[in-house]
Amino acid sequence: MRRWVLGWLVVLSALSLAQTRVVLGVGGKTAVVYLPLTVVERLGYFKEEGLDVVIQDLQAGSRTLQALIGGSVEVVMGFYDHTIQMQAQGRDIVAFVQVGRYPAIVLGVRSDLAGEVRSVADLKGRRVGVTAPGSSTHFFLNYLLAKNGLKPTDVSVIGVSVGAQAVAAVQNRQVEAISNVEPAITLLQERGLIRILADTRTTKGTREVLGGEYPAAVLYTTRAWLERNPETAQRLVNAMVRGLRWMWGKSPEEIAQVLPEEYFLGDRALYLKVLANSLESFSPTGRFSDTAPLRPLVVLSSFDPKVAQAKIDLKRTYTNAFVDRVPKR
């Protein structure tokens, strides 16, 4: 009898573990900046941590932030700079694992306009595509405008989403320039549709544009959720760090093998180039450095008066506590 009861307790414990459900929002699941999320999902690491992660693809970072504030998602895979922006508005949002150490955002101008638009300053009066207004691709554009003596209102911003939709916006001349992420950028380059003005996919490019490492894609949530669900947060981080470790040192071909066919947009060879252009941007450890979070604060302060005027406590916008407890495998 005792053995039977113990057996059922083990079964019930396993069922309880398997039933931990998390609703996670992402601003464009096929965007390469968020690729580790798909890798972790496809390799089964969430399930191995006893998590049922329900992923809602909301197609833009600003929408996922709104979903978190509104309570329709519990955790977001989005850009770190939103945590700073929210603190300036009195909201306590915390990033708890770093996925991208560089933004991997690129600003490009349509090739047929390259003779007229030779620098960011020449974008004045132009239509510029971003994933969505208020997203990190928009922040990146605003920073570059400010750096070149322009105001955010000096250009017309149009939301063009990611992937094929972003490519179509350039191809159909809906926009004259674009601030976006992979796979759209390599697709546009390969078709000769854009000329690059600023590129943060690599160490070299990020250093030139932003001065060095810049926390980009992260998992973030409200401090209240994190404090209520520390075990669930730890399991999420365990899975994400395991995925980042798996990706580090892998070739584009090896990573492509675990991805869904639809990610390749009908051209696997081209997608391998996309991966080759992007792999340097991912964090190998999931850990935030003590100095890199200052860069997003500088960027946001250059064009957002609320951030510039607020007293931001960067230590409250991120934590390494969960990453530091990830088991060494």
Side-chain angles (χ1 to χ4, degrees), residues 32-150:
V32 176
V33 286
Y34 302 133
L35 188 67
L37 179 66
T38 298
V39 168
V40 169
E41 180 189 34
R42 300 280 290 186
L43 291 174
Y45 292 166
F46 286 135
K47 287 184 178 176
E48 288 181 26
E49 287 290 336
L51 297 173
D52 173 19
V53 178
V54 179
I55 298 173
Q56 292 188 4
D57 188 353
L58 301 172
Q59 292 296 309
S62 55
R63 292 183 203 133
T64 55
L65 176 61
Q66 289 162 10
L68 180 71
I69 300 301
S72 59
V73 304
E74 297 168 279
V75 176
V76 165
M77 171 69 80
F79 267 49
Y80 166 73
D81 45 22
H82 289 298
T83 68
I84 297 173
Q85 180 197 36
M86 287 296 97
Q87 191 181 121
Q89 296 177 25
R91 296 185 182 274
D92 213 358
I93 306 293
V94 188
F96 57 105
V97 61
Q98 178 179 273
V99 172
R101 56 181 181 160
Y102 310 136
I105 300 172
V106 173
L107 177 66
V109 62
R110 261 189 8 226
S111 295
D112 61 307
L113 298 171
E116 301 170 41
V117 182
R118 294 181 178 151
S119 71
V120 175
D122 296 328
L123 288 175
K124 188 170 184 177
R126 304 285 183 173
R127 292 165 296 155
V128 185
V130 299
T131 53
S135 293
S136 293
T137 51
H138 190 185
F139 294 164
F140 182 69
L141 169 65
N142 284 346
Y143 169 68
L144 291 173
L145 292 172
K147 197 177 175 183
N148 286 271
L150 299 180

Side-chain angles (χ1 to χ4, degrees), residues 106-112 129-130 160-196 201 265 267 270-271 273-274 277:
V106 173
L107 177 66
V109 62
R110 261 189 8 226
S111 295
D112 61 307
V130 299
V160 297
S161 192
V162 296
Q165 287 174 264
V167 173
V170 175
Q171 207 157 16
N172 298 334
R173 302 193 174 193
Q174 293 170 286
V175 295
E176 292 152 305
I178 188 166
S179 175
N180 216 284
V181 294
E182 296 286 17
I185 297 303
T186 295
L187 288 168
L188 289 166
Q189 282 182 287
E190 289 291 314
R191 294 176 188 175
L193 292 170
I194 60 168
R195 185 175 71 81
I196 302 297
R201 290 174 291 182
L265 299 175
D267 192 334
L270 184 58
Y271 194 83
K273 290 183 181 179
V274 168
N277 288 337

Side-chain angles (χ1 to χ4, degrees), residues 210-289:
L210 298 167
E213 190 172 327
Y214 187 108
V218 299
L219 283 187
Y220 68 74
T221 186
T222 61
R223 187 174 302 278
W225 187 91
L226 209 55
E227 289 176 351
R228 283 197 312 269
N229 301 277
E231 290 182 17
T232 303
Q234 187 64 59
R235 290 190 222 162
L236 282 168
V237 174
N238 290 349
M240 289 308 306
V241 171
R242 189 178 172 193
L244 291 170
R245 289 173 180 169
W246 180 88
M247 288 177 66
W248 197 249
K250 292 283 191 302
S251 67
E253 290 81 3
E254 288 172 304
I255 293 170
Q257 284 173 9
V258 307
L259 300 178
E261 191 66 33
E262 60 265 25
Y263 276 46
F264 307 142
L265 299 175
D267 192 334
R268 190 185 182 93
L270 184 58
Y271 194 83
L272 292 177
K273 290 183 181 179
V274 168
L275 288 177
N277 288 337
S278 307
L279 291 181
E280 203 175 326
S281 68
F282 297 114
S283 169
T285 65
R287 205 172 193 284
F288 294 89
S289 85

Side-chain angles (χ1 to χ4, degrees), residues 143-144 147 197-200 202-212:
Y143 169 68
L144 291 173
K147 197 177 175 183
L197 295 177
D199 189 343
T200 62
T202 63
T203 304
K204 181 176 180 292
T206 305
R207 191 176 291 125
E208 287 172 0
V209 178
L210 298 167

